């Protein structure tokens, strides 16, 4: 692990040994303790999580198995509870969400279908202020972008009802 200070590496550390079939697919504070946690996926579709405290793994679990036609599209606090959630997308354009409470899946929902020539606009995108406005409303809103002509659209959902 590299702990960063801006664009400089402040500390490096080996925190574990992970088989090569696992890849990091997301990072977010999933338990609300102020520390970034790690979301993993293996080539068989198993989803794992490490809850972190700096360079220390506090706990780990396998959350479940998701068909490989689905991939993690983004992580974010989609219901405003201070804990990271997981946004999924399948190869047909279906968009789903796991609302999380630490290592527990509170609620799952398919929130819509978007043509596959549209991508989910991540928070590091230049239009991240759009995501911030949608997040502030505490609802399951997802900003989508179409590459060909830089169009933006969205899926709007209600955090209380899937």
């Amino acid at each position: 692990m590299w702990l960063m200070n801006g664009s400089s590496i402040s500390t490096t550390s080996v925190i574990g040994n992970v088989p090569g079939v696992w890849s990091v697919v997301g990072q977010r504070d999933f338990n609300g303790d102020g520390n970034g946690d790690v979301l993993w996926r293996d080539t068989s579709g198993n989803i794992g999580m490490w809850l972190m405290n700096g360079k220390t793994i506090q706990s780990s679990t396998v959350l479940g198995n998701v068909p490989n036609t689905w991939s993690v599209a983004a992580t974010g606090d989609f219901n405003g509870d201070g804990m990271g959630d997981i946004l999924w997308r399948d190869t047909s354009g279906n968009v789903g969400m796991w609302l999380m409470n630490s290592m527990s899946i509170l609620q799952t929902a398919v929130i819509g279908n978007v043509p596959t020539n549209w991508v989910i606009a991540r928070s590091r995108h230049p239009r991240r202020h759009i995501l911030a406005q949608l997040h502030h409303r505490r609802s399951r809103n997802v900003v989508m972008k179409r590459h060909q002509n830089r169009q933006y659209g969205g899926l709007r959902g209600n955090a209380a009802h899937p």
Side-chain angles (χ1 to χ4, degrees):
M1 174 182 285
W2 291 355
L3 296 180
M4 305 297 291
N5 181 5
S7 61
S8 300
I9 300 169
S10 62
T11 306
T12 63
S13 179
V14 175
I15 57 172
N17 186 357
V18 179
V21 296
W22 287 88
S23 299
V24 173
V25 292
Q27 178 280 326
R28 188 65 52 177
D29 180 6
F30 289 103
N31 62 348
D33 67 355
N35 293 303
D37 304 311
V38 183
L39 188 65
W40 296 88
R41 186 168 195 184
D42 75 7
T43 54
S44 299
N46 294 308
I47 306 299
M49 184 182 289
W50 284 357
L51 295 183
M52 303 297 296
N53 182 3
K55 300 178 285 183
T56 303
I57 303 168
Q58 286 187 319
S59 56
S60 64
T61 193
V62 174
L63 297 168
N65 185 282
V66 177
N68 284 324
T69 55
W70 287 86
S71 59
V72 173
T75 58
D77 181 4
F78 297 111
N79 62 350
D81 66 355
M83 291 182 249
D85 304 306
I86 305 168
L87 190 70
W88 296 89
R89 186 149 189 221
D90 77 2
T91 53
S92 299
N94 294 308
V95 178
M97 185 174 294
W98 285 4
L99 297 180
M100 303 296 296
N101 180 358
S102 188
M103 292 183 172
S104 299
I105 302 167
L106 294 177
Q107 187 176 8
T108 65
V110 174
I111 57 174
N113 183 285
V114 177
T116 57
N117 63 340
W118 287 71
V119 297
I120 293 174
R122 296 178 183 243
S123 60
R124 63 182 162 211
H125 191 275
R127 302 232 183 231
R128 65 182 170 261
H129 66 279
I130 295 172
L131 288 177
Q133 288 173 349
L134 292 174
H135 167 73
H136 179 69
R137 294 183 188 145
R138 293 186 179 201
S139 59
R140 293 183 191 157
N141 297 306
V142 178
V143 175
M144 308 297 290
K145 177 187 174 194
R146 187 170 168 191
H147 282 298
Q148 293 90 336
N149 55 8
R150 297 181 187 241
Q151 286 181 307
Y152 288 85
L155 291 174
R156 183 172 167 86
N158 183 304
H161 305 285

